[in-house]
């Protein structure tokens, strides 16, 4: 197996116009369906899910045996040809529901132990379990899309203000903590025993400093 480690497509961005093209995709194994001689694999990355078909007639026995041993959340790279699905197998619930990747090569990039909860939305899992395994929780589409929404919102805010000549300034870089004015909050450091972080409670100082310096319009997120 000699897959070149260069992704050509993201799973959820393959379209019908790509039918007939070679493709290399990478992602997590979402689910596997063994139909006896043909294995259907749902491959997931940050953009969505793509169905991958492994047909024993098209593959070396060694590769097919590796496919049979795949488990949920294994990370794999797959190469093959993008094809049109049979109409009776369309999946209207995903954007790639009319296409599939007929695989000719597979490589396991990383294996996974059994998970404490499935990587799906609407799971009935205790919050403390999800937070203990936060790196798994953030793989779920709902939470990932929350990060995307926040990113796009902040990007829009920045664009709006930049177009009006506001300058983004992270004010903590301007000065050290000062004992004057309102008292600081002192937060104990967990890393450096006996030391503290000082959180200044006078943002007006930064505003005044910037205004006198000639920064007439600024913002900070």
């Amino acid at each position: 197996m000699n897959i070149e480690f260069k992704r050509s497509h993201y799973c959820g961005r393959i379209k019908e116009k790509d039918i007939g093209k070679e493709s290399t995709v990478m992602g997590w194994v979402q689910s596997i369906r063994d139909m006896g001689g043909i294995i259907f694999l749902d491959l997931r990355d940050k953009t969505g899910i793509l169905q991958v078909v492994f047909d024993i007639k098209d593959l070396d026995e060694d590769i097919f045996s590796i496919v049979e041993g795949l488990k949920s959340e294994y990370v794999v790279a797959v190469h093959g040809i993008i094809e049109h699905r049979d109409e009776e197998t369309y999946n209207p619930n995903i954007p790639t529901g009319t296409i599939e990747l007929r695989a000719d090569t597979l490589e396991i990039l990383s294996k996974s132990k059994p998970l404490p909860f499935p990587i799906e939305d609407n799971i009935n899992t205790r919050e403390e379990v999800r937070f203990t395994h936060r790196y798994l929780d953030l793989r779920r589409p709902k939470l990932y899309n929350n990060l995307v929404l926040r990113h796009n919102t902040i990007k829009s805010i920045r664009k709006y203000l930049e177009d009006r000549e506001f300058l983004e300034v992270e004010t903590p870089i301007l000065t050290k903590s000062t004992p004057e004015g309102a008292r600081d909050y002192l937060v104990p450091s967990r890393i450096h025993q006996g030391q503290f972080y000082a959180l200044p409670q006078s943002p007006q100082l930064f505003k005044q400093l910037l205004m006198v310096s000639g920064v007439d319009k600024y913002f900070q997120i």
Side-chain angles (χ1 to χ4, degrees):
M1 294 177 293
N2 294 308
I3 292 180
E4 182 182 356
F5 282 86
K6 185 176 181 181
R7 175 191 281 120
S8 64
H9 297 85
Y10 280 103
C11 293
R13 294 179 184 166
I14 298 178
K15 307 295 183 184
E16 289 193 7
K17 64 181 177 62
D18 298 313
I19 289 174
K21 295 181 180 178
E22 291 189 34
S23 177
T24 299
V25 293
M26 301 178 183
W28 292 282
V29 174
Q30 180 72 16
S31 63
I32 304 174
R33 302 180 299 284
D34 191 340
M35 310 301 290
I38 298 180
I39 295 176
F40 294 94
L41 180 152
D42 285 342
L43 191 66
R44 186 191 81 249
D45 64 18
K46 67 177 184 177
T47 63
I49 291 177
L50 175 67
Q51 177 170 280
V52 182
V53 182
F54 297 91
D55 192 329
I56 195 170
K57 295 182 295 185
D58 303 330
L59 300 172
D60 294 336
E61 290 186 5
D62 291 343
I63 295 179
F64 197 80
S65 64
I66 293 174
V67 176
E68 290 179 311
L70 292 177
K71 306 293 184 184
S72 177
E73 290 305 291
Y74 275 30
V75 180
V76 299
V78 185
H79 177 271
I81 303 294
I82 301 167
E83 295 185 347
H84 202 279
R85 284 202 204 187
D86 292 335
E87 191 170 346
E88 61 270 18
T89 67
Y90 282 2
N91 183 353
N93 298 318
I94 58 176
T96 59
T98 60
I99 55 178
E100 62 190 13
L101 181 70
R102 183 162 292 271
D104 55 38
T105 312
L106 165 86
E107 188 154 352
I108 297 176
L109 305 181
S110 178
K111 295 185 177 181
S112 174
K113 296 179 180 179
L115 303 184
F117 53 84
I119 308 302
E120 300 171 355
D121 290 334
N122 303 317
I123 56 175
N124 186 20
T125 303
R126 289 182 293 116
E127 191 174 72
E128 56 265 33
V129 175
R130 288 175 36 226
F131 285 172
T132 299
H133 304 277
R134 189 62 164 163
Y135 60 97
L136 296 176
D137 197 35
L138 289 173
R139 291 183 192 177
R140 297 194 296 120
K142 181 178 180 180
L143 291 190
Y144 178 79
N145 289 333
N146 286 345
L147 296 178
V148 173
L149 175 61
R150 184 180 187 277
H151 164 78
N152 289 333
T153 301
I154 292 175
K155 183 171 68 173
S156 297
I157 293 171
R158 284 195 169 103
K159 177 68 166 58
Y160 179 88
L161 293 174
E162 287 171 2
D163 289 346
R164 287 153 180 78
E165 299 190 33
F166 281 77
L167 183 68
E168 182 173 9
V169 180
E170 297 180 12
T171 54
I173 69 172
L174 297 176
T175 183
K176 294 170 64 176
S177 177
T178 171
E180 290 85 14
R183 289 187 177 183
D184 293 351
Y185 281 128
L186 297 180
V187 182
S189 170
R190 294 182 179 181
I191 299 176
H192 306 288
Q193 296 296 322
Q195 299 186 33
F196 301 83
Y197 294 107
L199 303 180
Q201 295 301 303
S202 184
Q204 187 70 16
L205 290 177
F206 295 126
K207 179 180 179 182
Q208 292 169 347
L209 177 63
L210 288 168
M211 297 294 281
V212 174
S213 300
V215 183
D216 58 339
K217 296 190 289 187
Y218 83 94
F219 71 99
Q220 177 172 290
I221 298 176

